[in-house]
Amino acid sequence: MEIGAAREGRVLRTAGLLSSLRRKGVVALLAGASLLTACGQPAPSATAPPAEPNTATTSSSPAAEEHVLELEVTGTATLSSLTFTLDGKVSEEKAVKPPWRKTVEVPYGTGRHEWRLTMRHSGGSLSATATVDGKLVTRTGGAGSPGSNNTANLTGSFTD
């Protein structure tokens, strides 16, 4: 008799559990799992499968690894010379006609960088801008009478 009573108690507890699970919408999952298991298929996991590791590689473009310093001079002035200095290294161009543009790539992680652009001009007007990584850093402008000798400077710096 004890066996029958224990079995009856388990049936009542199971019926109570099923009633509770129905309210939570789990019976459909258990029924589906039973059918799949009965058909020889593995039961579905109650937990989500582990996420696939991200195997996509990011391309490393030069723009992502370097600062880009861009200098631009526009206007009507006659430029007898342009002298560009970056971190003490000097380059000079003679008899330049605007528009003029110089782009310099500087590796990230190399500290503070200073530049200067010296423009010797006469007659007309000029405007010069400097950007670092596409953001305007500084600008200057000037004008001179024909035959006059003038100098305009554009200076700046940036740090990683």
Side-chain angles (χ1 to χ4, degrees), residues 62-128:
E65 298 172 3
E66 297 175 327
H67 291 289
V68 177
L69 168 63
E70 188 167 62
L71 304 158
E72 184 174 17
V73 178
T74 59
T76 60
T78 303
L79 295 161
S80 57
S81 71
L82 284 174
T83 305
F84 173 66
T85 306
L86 174 62
D87 297 332
K89 296 177 186 166
V90 179
S91 65
E92 186 173 34
E93 296 181 37
K94 302 276 187 183
V96 177
K97 275 192 149 181
W100 175 89
R101 175 176 280 177
K102 184 169 192 82
T103 302
V104 181
E105 295 174 345
V106 180
Y108 279 129
T110 54
R112 181 179 171 85
H113 301 280
E114 296 182 4
W115 79 86
R116 171 182 295 271
L117 179 63
T118 301
M119 299 158 278
R120 290 182 183 79
H121 63 94
S122 65
S125 63
L126 66 85
S127 176

Side-chain angles (χ1 to χ4, degrees), residues 9 11 45 55 57 70 74 78 84 101 105 109 116 128-130 134 136 155 157 160:
V11 169
S45 171
T55 57
T57 57
E70 188 167 62
T74 59
T78 303
F84 173 66
R101 175 176 280 177
E105 295 174 345
R116 171 182 295 271
T129 59
L136 180 65
T155 61
S157 65
D160 289 329

Side-chain angles (χ1 to χ4, degrees), residues 36-48:
L36 286 175
T37 303
C39 295
Q41 301 295 325
S45 171
T47 61

Side-chain angles (χ1 to χ4, degrees), residues 143-155:
S145 310
S148 64
N149 290 317
N150 304 290
T151 301
N153 290 299
L154 184 68
T155 61

